[in-house]
Amino acid sequence: MSFGITVSHHSRGQGVGQQLLTHLFKLCKNELGITRIELEVPADNTGAQKLYVRNGFVAEGVKKSAAYGNGAYFDVIVMAKCLGVGHE
């Protein structure tokens, strides 16, 4: 199963990302029975990375030149969080 979360530049820093993550955690754990969430975030998106770390995500690796945008390839960081018992 795959989810995508994007917060517009105009809405960043207003708690929208936190609200989306909170809802996603509840949905995954309580309704879907998902116990591990993985994500990929652009290496230069430090704001999102800080949000994910504050919410228990841990960086697991870097995928070099794994995505393309604005005319160039860029690295993405793979992060994960366990939702199971004893992980929160």
Side-chain angles (χ1 to χ4, degrees):
M1 182 171 293
S2 181
F3 301 95
I5 294 176
T6 303
V7 177
S8 73
H9 289 283
H10 295 43
S11 298
R12 291 182 183 169
Q14 299 178 30
V16 175
Q18 182 62 59
Q19 290 177 359
L20 290 168
L21 283 178
T22 299
H23 181 72
L24 178 64
F25 296 154
K26 289 179 184 175
L27 176 69
C28 287
K29 188 172 181 180
N30 299 333
E31 296 182 33
L32 301 176
I34 293 172
T35 59
R36 178 180 162 89
I37 299 175
E38 294 180 8
L39 62 83
E40 294 182 3
V41 59
D44 67 349
N45 190 343
T46 57
Q49 292 170 42
K50 289 176 185 176
L51 172 66
Y52 299 140
V53 168
R54 279 196 311 268
N55 281 275
F57 284 88
V58 176
E60 294 188 329
V62 177
K63 295 168 80 174
K64 296 290 190 179
S65 299
Y68 184 85
N70 296 324
Y73 286 94
F74 56 90
D75 298 349
V76 295
I77 298 174
V78 178
M79 302 180 84
K81 172 185 172 90
C82 292
L83 299 173
V85 175
H87 291 287
E88 293 200 324

